[in-house]
Each structure stands twice: as C-alpha cells, then as structure tokens.
Amino acid sequence: MSDVINESQIGAEYLRIVNIKFAELKKSAEKAIAQVSDDFKLNWAPNEESNSIAVIVKHISGNMISRWTDFLTSDGEKPGRDRDEEFEGMIESKEELLTVWNRGWDVFLQTLSELKGEDLLRTVYIRQQPHSVLEAIERQMSHYSSHVGQIIYAAKMIQGDDWQTLTIPRRKNA
C-alpha cells in the first residue's frame, strides 16, 4: 500500500474540510442570532456607519446567491444583484431574517457540495476578474468569516450581560 497521496485526494479532502468549516460558520451565526429575542434589535447598529445583524444577513445572502448561482459557468456578480439595496431597509422579524439567511446559505452550500477536487483549478469569474475555484472559495471564507464575526459581536453587544458564550467561556474570578 502506498503512502503517496494524489491531487484528487487532496482536492476531495480540502472540499470536505471547507464544507465542514462553512457549516460551522453558519451554525455560530445562528446561535448568536437565536440569543437576540427582540425582532427590533436585529436592526440595531451602534452607529450610522455600522451594519445591523439584519443588514449583514441581507448582504451575505445576496452575495451567496450572486456568487454561487451558476458558479462554474457565469460571472459571480450577477446583473440582477442590487448590492447597495442589501445595506438599506429593515427586516421585520426573526422569521423573515432566517428566511433570507437560509436562502443564501442553501444556494451556497448546495453548490459547494457539488464541487469535485478536479474543479479546484478551474477558472471562474467574479466581477470579470479570473479566480481559480480554490481562490474563489478562500475569498468567500474570508468574507463570510468577517461578517459572521460582526453578527456575533453585534449580538453580544445587544445581549450585554445576558450573552451566552458560543465557545469556551472565559475563566471568572470567584
């Protein structure tokens, strides 16, 4: 039996890992959102230059639908996307917010799950700029991670002392 790993195995392993990591990101944001019980607070932002949880959700969802619909065959910036609109308006309820959230994640995770190791070096376009599929995935990992961090931080600010940590809690002095 050979210990040599071929490129196909590396690609398959990479895709397995990123599928898990993106699912973990989604779950972390959902745990933070679940702690915000007041629908109005989902639209709260610390100042006019900051985004609320609702705005971030609209933006991530719009990005996912644009980037990952027909991912291998069309530019990731679809002509019908109104990116500026993603940063305007309010979402009226947590139910509506989760519908918007899941719409984007469903498109993204379905497309990601269909990729094969041999796809990783194919060229795709985002805003007419060429990217390898691998590069496009990493671009989105960075983008989505930063926004999930913003969602968690905003939820933590909203909840204050009622915040329940999503990871290992800090030690508290007795």
Side-chain angles (χ1 to χ4, degrees):
M1 200 173 260
S2 173
D3 289 340
V4 176
I5 298 174
N6 66 38
E7 289 177 22
S8 177
Q9 290 170 308
I10 293 169
E13 179 65 2
Y14 170 77
L15 289 168
R16 183 189 72 77
I17 291 167
V18 296
N19 272 279
I20 291 168
K21 293 301 178 187
F22 278 114
E24 289 172 355
L25 270 180
K26 180 179 187 281
K27 186 176 182 179
S28 291
E30 289 169 351
K31 285 180 177 180
I33 291 166
Q35 291 191 47
V36 181
S37 58
D38 184 339
D39 290 344
F40 175 75
K41 289 182 179 175
L42 293 169
N43 293 287
W44 173 85
N47 57 56
E48 288 189 26
E49 292 301 313
S50 297
N51 295 317
S52 67
I53 292 171
V55 164
I56 296 166
V57 164
K58 285 171 43 178
H59 171 61
I60 290 175
S61 183
N63 178 279
M64 288 175 167
I65 292 167
S66 182
R67 296 283 186 271
W68 296 91
T69 299
D70 302 322
F71 173 66
L72 294 173
T73 59
S74 69
D75 192 284
E77 190 66 20
K78 304 295 184 282
R81 180 181 183 201
D82 185 353
R83 184 180 181 280
D84 289 339
E85 189 278 328
E86 295 165 11
F87 295 93
E88 298 172 0
M90 296 177 60
I91 290 183
E92 299 298 322
S93 68
K94 190 180 292 188
E95 180 181 7
E96 179 186 353
L97 181 129
L98 292 174
T99 297
V100 170
W101 174 255
N102 285 318
R103 187 178 308 126
W105 279 98
D106 289 348
V107 169
F108 169 59
L109 291 175
Q110 179 64 41
T111 300
L112 188 64
S113 74
E114 293 170 356
L115 293 174
K116 306 289 182 233
E118 55 267 21
D119 293 324
L120 293 175
L121 297 179
R122 288 179 63 176
T123 299
V124 294
Y125 291 85
I126 301 173
R127 296 184 177 179
Q128 301 176 350
Q129 298 298 311
H131 295 69
S132 69
V133 168
L134 181 64
E135 182 182 11
I137 292 169
E138 288 299 315
R139 175 182 172 145
Q140 298 315 112
M141 179 65 80
S142 175
H143 185 205
Y144 301 156
S145 293
S146 68
H147 285 312
V148 166
Q150 291 170 333
I151 289 170
I152 292 168
Y153 190 69
K156 191 173 184 176
M157 289 175 63
I158 291 165
Q159 289 304 102
D161 291 339
D162 293 330
W163 174 255
Q164 299 294 312
T165 187
L166 304 180
T167 59
I168 301 168
R170 291 182 185 186
R171 293 184 188 159
K172 297 199 178 203
N173 294 335

PDB file of all heavy atoms in Angstrom, residues 41-68:
ATOM      1  N   LYS A  41     -34.312  44.571  17.664  1.00  0.00           N
ATOM      2  CA  LYS A  41     -32.876  44.649  17.935  1.00  0.00           C
ATOM      3  C   LYS A  41     -32.042  44.020  16.823  1.00  0.00           C
ATOM      4  O   LYS A  41     -30.856  44.301  16.717  1.00  0.00           O
ATOM      5  CB  LYS A  41     -32.557  44.017  19.280  1.00  0.00           C
ATOM      6  CG  LYS A  41     -33.051  44.868  20.437  1.00  0.00           C
ATOM      7  CD  LYS A  41     -32.699  44.264  21.763  1.00  0.00           C
ATOM      8  CE  LYS A  41     -33.200  45.163  22.886  1.00  0.00           C
ATOM      9  NZ  LYS A  41     -32.976  44.558  24.195  1.00  0.00           N
ATOM     10  N   LEU A  42     -32.647  43.194  15.985  1.00  0.00           N
ATOM     11  CA  LEU A  42     -31.922  42.635  14.849  1.00  0.00           C
ATOM     12  C   LEU A  42     -31.540  43.727  13.854  1.00  0.00           C
ATOM     13  O   LEU A  42     -30.644  43.543  13.037  1.00  0.00           O
ATOM     14  CB  LEU A  42     -32.755  41.555  14.158  1.00  0.00           C
ATOM     15  CG  LEU A  42     -33.000  40.301  14.986  1.00  0.00           C
ATOM     16  CD1 LEU A  42     -34.059  39.421  14.315  1.00  0.00           C
ATOM     17  CD2 LEU A  42     -31.702  39.525  15.199  1.00  0.00           C
ATOM     18  N   ASN A  43     -32.211  44.879  13.924  1.00  0.00           N
ATOM     19  CA  ASN A  43     -31.945  46.012  13.052  1.00  0.00           C
ATOM     20  C   ASN A  43     -31.100  47.091  13.735  1.00  0.00           C
ATOM     21  O   ASN A  43     -30.845  48.142  13.157  1.00  0.00           O
ATOM     22  CB  ASN A  43     -33.263  46.614  12.565  1.00  0.00           C
ATOM     23  CG  ASN A  43     -34.001  45.674  11.646  1.00  0.00           C
ATOM     24  OD1 ASN A  43     -33.606  45.474  10.509  1.00  0.00           O
ATOM     25  ND2 ASN A  43     -35.063  45.049  12.147  1.00  0.00           N
ATOM     26  N   TRP A  44     -30.664  46.839  14.965  1.00  0.00           N
ATOM     27  CA  TRP A  44     -29.857  47.796  15.711  1.00  0.00           C
ATOM     28  C   TRP A  44     -28.425  47.812  15.192  1.00  0.00           C
ATOM     29  O   TRP A  44     -27.840  46.779  14.881  1.00  0.00           O
ATOM     30  CB  TRP A  44     -29.846  47.438  17.196  1.00  0.00           C
ATOM     31  CG  TRP A  44     -28.893  48.280  17.988  1.00  0.00           C
ATOM     32  CD1 TRP A  44     -29.144  49.508  18.526  1.00  0.00           C
ATOM     33  CD2 TRP A  44     -27.530  47.970  18.309  1.00  0.00           C
ATOM     34  NE1 TRP A  44     -28.003  49.983  19.161  1.00  0.00           N
ATOM     35  CE2 TRP A  44     -27.006  49.055  19.037  1.00  0.00           C
ATOM     36  CE3 TRP A  44     -26.698  46.894  18.033  1.00  0.00           C
ATOM     37  CZ2 TRP A  44     -25.699  49.089  19.506  1.00  0.00           C
ATOM     38  CZ3 TRP A  44     -25.387  46.924  18.492  1.00  0.00           C
ATOM     39  CH2 TRP A  44     -24.909  48.004  19.227  1.00  0.00           C
ATOM     40  N   ALA A  45     -27.861  49.018  15.087  1.00  0.00           N
ATOM     41  CA  ALA A  45     -26.448  49.192  14.749  1.00  0.00           C
ATOM     42  C   ALA A  45     -25.879  50.230  15.708  1.00  0.00           C
ATOM     43  O   ALA A  45     -26.584  51.170  16.090  1.00  0.00           O
ATOM     44  CB  ALA A  45     -26.278  49.642  13.303  1.00  0.00           C
ATOM     45  N   PRO A  46     -24.621  50.095  16.099  1.00  0.00           N
ATOM     46  CA  PRO A  46     -24.053  51.030  17.076  1.00  0.00           C
ATOM     47  C   PRO A  46     -23.929  52.469  16.569  1.00  0.00           C
ATOM     48  O   PRO A  46     -23.883  53.396  17.363  1.00  0.00           O
ATOM     49  CB  PRO A  46     -22.677  50.439  17.405  1.00  0.00           C
ATOM     50  CG  PRO A  46     -22.375  49.487  16.302  1.00  0.00           C
ATOM     51  CD  PRO A  46     -23.684  49.036  15.741  1.00  0.00           C
ATOM     52  N   ASN A  47     -23.878  52.638  15.240  1.00  0.00           N
ATOM     53  CA  ASN A  47     -23.827  53.983  14.665  1.00  0.00           C
ATOM     54  C   ASN A  47     -24.211  53.881  13.185  1.00  0.00           C
ATOM     55  O   ASN A  47     -24.402  52.782  12.665  1.00  0.00           O
ATOM     56  CB  ASN A  47     -22.447  54.625  14.851  1.00  0.00           C
ATOM     57  CG  ASN A  47     -21.342  53.786  14.244  1.00  0.00           C
ATOM     58  OD1 ASN A  47     -21.368  53.453  13.052  1.00  0.00           O
ATOM     59  ND2 ASN A  47     -20.357  53.420  15.059  1.00  0.00           N
ATOM     60  N   GLU A  48     -24.297  55.022  12.523  1.00  0.00           N
ATOM     61  CA  GLU A  48     -24.755  55.048  11.131  1.00  0.00           C
ATOM     62  C   GLU A  48     -23.788  54.400  10.154  1.00  0.00           C
ATOM     63  O   GLU A  48     -24.176  54.002   9.065  1.00  0.00           O
ATOM     64  CB  GLU A  48     -25.057  56.485  10.701  1.00  0.00           C
ATOM     65  CG  GLU A  48     -26.320  57.032  11.340  1.00  0.00           C
ATOM     66  CD  GLU A  48     -26.741  58.360  10.746  1.00  0.00           C
ATOM     67  OE1 GLU A  48     -26.395  58.631   9.573  1.00  0.00           O
ATOM     68  OE2 GLU A  48     -27.422  59.116  11.452  1.00  0.00           O
ATOM     69  N   GLU A  49     -22.537  54.291  10.506  1.00  0.00           N
ATOM     70  CA  GLU A  49     -21.534  53.684   9.627  1.00  0.00           C
ATOM     71  C   GLU A  49     -21.395  52.178   9.840  1.00  0.00           C
ATOM     72  O   GLU A  49     -20.629  51.518   9.151  1.00  0.00           O
ATOM     73  CB  GLU A  49     -20.177  54.371   9.820  1.00  0.00           C
ATOM     74  CG  GLU A  49     -20.160  55.796   9.321  1.00  0.00           C
ATOM     75  CD  GLU A  49     -20.491  55.909   7.833  1.00  0.00           C
ATOM     76  OE1 GLU A  49     -19.933  55.146   7.025  1.00  0.00           O
ATOM     77  OE2 GLU A  49     -21.327  56.768   7.479  1.00  0.00           O
ATOM     78  N   SER A  50     -22.137  51.646  10.798  1.00  0.00           N
ATOM     79  CA  SER A  50     -22.078  50.217  11.102  1.00  0.00           C
ATOM     80  C   SER A  50     -23.322  49.522  10.570  1.00  0.00           C
ATOM     81  O   SER A  50     -24.347  50.159  10.324  1.00  0.00           O
ATOM     82  CB  SER A  50     -21.985  50.001  12.615  1.00  0.00           C
ATOM     83  OG  SER A  50     -20.798  50.567  13.113  1.00  0.00           O
ATOM     84  N   ASN A  51     -23.217  48.227  10.417  1.00  0.00           N
ATOM     85  CA  ASN A  51     -24.335  47.436   9.915  1.00  0.00           C
ATOM     86  C   ASN A  51     -24.996  46.652  11.036  1.00  0.00           C
ATOM     87  O   ASN A  51     -24.318  46.145  11.929  1.00  0.00           O
ATOM     88  CB  ASN A  51     -23.851  46.457   8.833  1.00  0.00           C
ATOM     89  CG  ASN A  51     -23.344  47.170   7.614  1.00  0.00           C
ATOM     90  OD1 ASN A  51     -23.939  48.139   7.147  1.00  0.00           O
ATOM     91  ND2 ASN A  51     -22.231  46.705   7.083  1.00  0.00           N
ATOM     92  N   SER A  52     -26.296  46.532  10.942  1.00  0.00           N
ATOM     93  CA  SER A  52     -27.053  45.710  11.884  1.00  0.00           C
ATOM     94  C   SER A  52     -26.922  44.243  11.483  1.00  0.00           C
ATOM     95  O   SER A  52     -26.462  43.916  10.379  1.00  0.00           O
ATOM     96  CB  SER A  52     -28.530  46.113  11.861  1.00  0.00           C
ATOM     97  OG  SER A  52     -29.098  45.770  10.594  1.00  0.00           O
ATOM     98  N   ILE A  53     -27.352  43.368  12.364  1.00  0.00           N
ATOM     99  CA  ILE A  53     -27.393  41.943  12.037  1.00  0.00           C
ATOM    100  C   ILE A  53     -28.243  41.735  10.791  1.00  0.00           C
ATOM    101  O   ILE A  53     -27.855  40.997   9.883  1.00  0.00           O
ATOM    102  CB  ILE A  53     -27.928  41.119  13.231  1.00  0.00           C
ATOM    103  CG1 ILE A  53     -26.922  41.156  14.383  1.00  0.00           C
ATOM    104  CG2 ILE A  53     -28.239  39.683  12.811  1.00  0.00           C
ATOM    105  CD1 ILE A  53     -27.429  40.551  15.691  1.00  0.00           C
ATOM    106  N   ALA A  54     -29.390  42.409  10.711  1.00  0.00           N
ATOM    107  CA  ALA A  54     -30.281  42.254   9.560  1.00  0.00           C
ATOM    108  C   ALA A  54     -29.593  42.661   8.258  1.00  0.00           C
ATOM    109  O   ALA A  54     -29.709  41.965   7.237  1.00  0.00           O
ATOM    110  CB  ALA A  54     -31.558  43.062   9.765  1.00  0.00           C
ATOM    111  N   VAL A  55     -28.881  43.759   8.266  1.00  0.00           N
ATOM    112  CA  VAL A  55     -28.183  44.217   7.063  1.00  0.00           C
ATOM    113  C   VAL A  55     -27.088  43.228   6.673  1.00  0.00           C
ATOM    114  O   VAL A  55     -26.930  42.890   5.494  1.00  0.00           O
ATOM    115  CB  VAL A  55     -27.613  45.642   7.270  1.00  0.00           C
ATOM    116  CG1 VAL A  55     -26.566  45.985   6.222  1.00  0.00           C
ATOM    117  CG2 VAL A  55     -28.740  46.667   7.248  1.00  0.00           C
ATOM    118  N   ILE A  56     -26.344  42.751   7.635  1.00  0.00           N
ATOM    119  CA  ILE A  56     -25.285  41.783   7.336  1.00  0.00           C
ATOM    120  C   ILE A  56     -25.883  40.513   6.735  1.00  0.00           C
ATOM    121  O   ILE A  56     -25.354  39.971   5.757  1.00  0.00           O
ATOM    122  CB  ILE A  56     -24.455  41.468   8.597  1.00  0.00           C
ATOM    123  CG1 ILE A  56     -23.733  42.732   9.079  1.00  0.00           C
ATOM    124  CG2 ILE A  56     -23.460  40.342   8.319  1.00  0.00           C
ATOM    125  CD1 ILE A  56     -23.161  42.624  10.490  1.00  0.00           C
ATOM    126  N   VAL A  57     -26.992  40.063   7.286  1.00  0.00           N
ATOM    127  CA  VAL A  57     -27.660  38.870   6.755  1.00  0.00           C
ATOM    128  C   VAL A  57     -28.104  39.102   5.311  1.00  0.00           C
ATOM    129  O   VAL A  57     -27.891  38.253   4.441  1.00  0.00           O
ATOM    130  CB  VAL A  57     -28.847  38.459   7.651  1.00  0.00           C
ATOM    131  CG1 VAL A  57     -29.783  37.481   6.938  1.00  0.00           C
ATOM    132  CG2 VAL A  57     -28.333  37.859   8.955  1.00  0.00           C
ATOM    133  N   LYS A  58     -28.706  40.256   5.039  1.00  0.00           N
ATOM    134  CA  LYS A  58     -29.127  40.559   3.666  1.00  0.00           C
ATOM    135  C   LYS A  58     -27.934  40.578   2.719  1.00  0.00           C
ATOM    136  O   LYS A  58     -28.002  40.062   1.600  1.00  0.00           O
ATOM    137  CB  LYS A  58     -29.865  41.907   3.616  1.00  0.00           C
ATOM    138  CG  LYS A  58     -31.265  41.847   4.173  1.00  0.00           C
ATOM    139  CD  LYS A  58     -31.938  43.197   4.330  1.00  0.00           C
ATOM    140  CE  LYS A  58     -31.762  44.151   3.209  1.00  0.00           C
ATOM    141  NZ  LYS A  58     -32.472  45.422   3.389  1.00  0.00           N
ATOM    142  N   HIS A  59     -26.838  41.167   3.177  1.00  0.00           N
ATOM    143  CA  HIS A  59     -25.638  41.255   2.341  1.00  0.00           C
ATOM    144  C   HIS A  59     -25.032  39.876   2.075  1.00  0.00           C
ATOM    145  O   HIS A  59     -24.713  39.544   0.931  1.00  0.00           O
ATOM    146  CB  HIS A  59     -24.612  42.182   2.987  1.00  0.00           C
ATOM    147  CG  HIS A  59     -23.288  42.163   2.306  1.00  0.00           C
ATOM    148  ND1 HIS A  59     -23.130  42.534   0.972  1.00  0.00           N
ATOM    149  CD2 HIS A  59     -22.062  41.794   2.742  1.00  0.00           C
ATOM    150  CE1 HIS A  59     -21.858  42.395   0.636  1.00  0.00           C
ATOM    151  NE2 HIS A  59     -21.194  41.947   1.696  1.00  0.00           N
ATOM    152  N   ILE A  60     -24.854  39.080   3.117  1.00  0.00           N
ATOM    153  CA  ILE A  60     -24.288  37.740   2.927  1.00  0.00           C
ATOM    154  C   ILE A  60     -25.171  36.921   1.984  1.00  0.00           C
ATOM    155  O   ILE A  60     -24.671  36.260   1.071  1.00  0.00           O
ATOM    156  CB  ILE A  60     -24.127  37.005   4.278  1.00  0.00           C
ATOM    157  CG1 ILE A  60     -23.016  37.632   5.114  1.00  0.00           C
ATOM    158  CG2 ILE A  60     -23.827  35.522   4.048  1.00  0.00           C
ATOM    159  CD1 ILE A  60     -22.898  37.029   6.511  1.00  0.00           C
ATOM    160  N   SER A  61     -26.461  36.963   2.197  1.00  0.00           N
ATOM    161  CA  SER A  61     -27.375  36.190   1.359  1.00  0.00           C
ATOM    162  C   SER A  61     -27.309  36.648  -0.095  1.00  0.00           C
ATOM    163  O   SER A  61     -27.224  35.824  -1.012  1.00  0.00           O
ATOM    164  CB  SER A  61     -28.808  36.313   1.889  1.00  0.00           C
ATOM    165  OG  SER A  61     -29.684  35.517   1.127  1.00  0.00           O
ATOM    166  N   GLY A  62     -27.320  37.962  -0.314  1.00  0.00           N
ATOM    167  CA  GLY A  62     -27.224  38.485  -1.676  1.00  0.00           C
ATOM    168  C   GLY A  62     -25.927  38.078  -2.343  1.00  0.00           C
ATOM    169  O   GLY A  62     -25.890  37.708  -3.518  1.00  0.00           O
ATOM    170  N   ASN A  63     -24.841  38.127  -1.576  1.00  0.00           N
ATOM    171  CA  ASN A  63     -23.546  37.726  -2.097  1.00  0.00           C
ATOM    172  C   ASN A  63     -23.551  36.244  -2.459  1.00  0.00           C
ATOM    173  O   ASN A  63     -23.095  35.861  -3.531  1.00  0.00           O
ATOM    174  CB  ASN A  63     -22.465  38.022  -1.053  1.00  0.00           C
ATOM    175  CG  ASN A  63     -21.089  37.587  -1.494  1.00  0.00           C
ATOM    176  OD1 ASN A  63     -20.744  36.412  -1.388  1.00  0.00           O
ATOM    177  ND2 ASN A  63     -20.295  38.523  -1.973  1.00  0.00           N
ATOM    178  N   MET A  64     -24.062  35.416  -1.582  1.00  0.00           N
ATOM    179  CA  MET A  64     -24.073  33.973  -1.833  1.00  0.00           C
ATOM    180  C   MET A  64     -24.890  33.620  -3.070  1.00  0.00           C
ATOM    181  O   MET A  64     -24.460  32.808  -3.894  1.00  0.00           O
ATOM    182  CB  MET A  64     -24.626  33.226  -0.616  1.00  0.00           C
ATOM    183  CG  MET A  64     -23.686  33.208   0.548  1.00  0.00           C
ATOM    184  SD  MET A  64     -24.457  32.433   1.986  1.00  0.00           S
ATOM    185  CE  MET A  64     -23.023  32.221   3.028  1.00  0.00           C
ATOM    186  N   ILE A  65     -26.050  34.214  -3.186  1.00  0.00           N
ATOM    187  CA  ILE A  65     -26.905  33.910  -4.338  1.00  0.00           C
ATOM    188  C   ILE A  65     -26.230  34.362  -5.624  1.00  0.00           C
ATOM    189  O   ILE A  65     -26.215  33.635  -6.623  1.00  0.00           O
ATOM    190  CB  ILE A  65     -28.299  34.546  -4.148  1.00  0.00           C
ATOM    191  CG1 ILE A  65     -29.032  33.831  -2.994  1.00  0.00           C
ATOM    192  CG2 ILE A  65     -29.102  34.488  -5.445  1.00  0.00           C
ATOM    193  CD1 ILE A  65     -30.266  34.555  -2.494  1.00  0.00           C
ATOM    194  N   SER A  66     -25.630  35.545  -5.608  1.00  0.00           N
ATOM    195  CA  SER A  66     -24.963  36.045  -6.801  1.00  0.00           C
ATOM    196  C   SER A  66     -23.731  35.211  -7.149  1.00  0.00           C
ATOM    197  O   SER A  66     -23.564  34.783  -8.295  1.00  0.00           O
ATOM    198  CB  SER A  66     -24.557  37.507  -6.595  1.00  0.00           C
ATOM    199  OG  SER A  66     -23.958  38.035  -7.751  1.00  0.00           O
ATOM    200  N   ARG A  67     -22.885  34.978  -6.181  1.00  0.00           N
ATOM    201  CA  ARG A  67     -21.628  34.280  -6.440  1.00  0.00           C
ATOM    202  C   ARG A  67     -21.805  32.812  -6.802  1.00  0.00           C
ATOM    203  O   ARG A  67     -21.071  32.276  -7.627  1.00  0.00           O
ATOM    204  CB  ARG A  67     -20.698  34.336  -5.214  1.00  0.00           C
ATOM    205  CG  ARG A  67     -20.237  35.704  -4.812  1.00  0.00           C
ATOM    206  CD  ARG A  67     -19.124  36.225  -5.714  1.00  0.00           C
ATOM    207  NE  ARG A  67     -18.604  37.480  -5.228  1.00  0.00           N
ATOM    208  CZ  ARG A  67     -19.078  38.668  -5.561  1.00  0.00           C
ATOM    209  NH1 ARG A  67     -20.086  38.761  -6.395  1.00  0.00           N
ATOM    210  NH2 ARG A  67     -18.547  39.771  -5.081  1.00  0.00           N
ATOM    211  N   TRP A  68     -22.767  32.147  -6.170  1.00  0.00           N
ATOM    212  CA  TRP A  68     -22.815  30.690  -6.242  1.00  0.00           C
ATOM    213  C   TRP A  68     -23.912  30.130  -7.132  1.00  0.00           C
ATOM    214  O   TRP A  68     -23.972  28.916  -7.336  1.00  0.00           O
ATOM    215  CB  TRP A  68     -22.872  30.113  -4.825  1.00  0.00           C
ATOM    216  CG  TRP A  68     -21.609  30.470  -4.111  1.00  0.00           C
ATOM    217  CD1 TRP A  68     -21.369  31.579  -3.349  1.00  0.00           C
ATOM    218  CD2 TRP A  68     -20.366  29.770  -4.169  1.00  0.00           C
ATOM    219  NE1 TRP A  68     -20.062  31.605  -2.909  1.00  0.00           N
ATOM    220  CE2 TRP A  68     -19.425  30.493  -3.396  1.00  0.00           C
ATOM    221  CE3 TRP A  68     -19.958  28.587  -4.788  1.00  0.00           C
ATOM    222  CZ2 TRP A  68     -18.111  30.077  -3.239  1.00  0.00           C
ATOM    223  CZ3 TRP A  68     -18.644  28.179  -4.614  1.00  0.00           C
ATOM    224  CH2 TRP A  68     -17.738  28.916  -3.851  1.00  0.00           C
TER     225      TRP A  68
END
